[in-house]
Amino acid sequence: MAKARVRVQEAASFRIDDIYRYTRDRWGVKQADRYLTGLFAAFDGIAARTTPSRPIPAEFAIDGYFFRYERHFVYWRQLANGDIGIVTILHERMHQIERFRTDFGL
């Protein structure tokens, strides 16, 4: 069986760009690179089952999972072909319900 591939979806891609820019501007390129390298390692850990994730609460009626990476929550789901789709990444201070619904297309 082939290992699932991680696919960063559009909303998550925009958030990754924002995270990088913010971290770079606030703490420098080295820190921004370190943060994103760790974030992508956590994505790879989903497929390897080394990144612990929890199901999205049932009240959202969405089949998906989330985990915390440092100051961010990463929301993902299994795609129809078995790959992993990174749906969105939200900072712990963001109003998660509203952004979550938008990024999942609700």
Side-chain angles (χ1 to χ4, degrees):
M1 179 191 313
K3 180 179 168 189
R5 295 177 60 180
V6 174
R7 305 214 179 261
V8 176
Q9 297 179 316
E10 188 175 20
S13 180
F14 289 132
R15 302 246 192 264
I16 289 168
D17 290 345
D18 288 345
I19 291 166
Y20 185 85
R21 280 191 299 274
Y22 178 84
T23 306
R24 179 199 63 207
D25 294 349
R26 183 112 187 205
W27 293 286
V29 170
K30 214 170 172 179
Q31 178 64 17
D33 289 347
R34 185 204 65 78
Y35 198 84
L36 261 58
T37 297
L39 184 62
F40 276 87
F43 294 169
D44 289 341
I46 297 168
R49 300 193 187 279
T50 58
T51 298
S53 298
R54 298 190 326 206
I56 293 171
E59 60 263 23
F60 290 105
I62 293 173
D63 187 26
Y65 304 88
F66 71 99
F67 66 91
R68 184 179 182 127
Y69 175 76
E70 295 193 18
R71 299 280 187 180
H72 289 89
F73 288 94
V74 177
Y75 295 89
W76 63 276
R77 63 179 155 202
Q78 196 87 37
L79 302 176
N81 67 357
D83 287 348
I84 292 156
I86 305 298
V87 178
T88 194
I89 304 163
L90 301 177
H91 190 274
E92 64 188 2
R93 290 183 303 198
M94 291 175 135
H95 179 35
Q96 292 192 15
I97 303 302
E98 180 182 320
R99 291 179 191 258
F100 177 83
R101 290 182 183 280
T102 299
D103 290 347
F104 269 91
L106 300 176

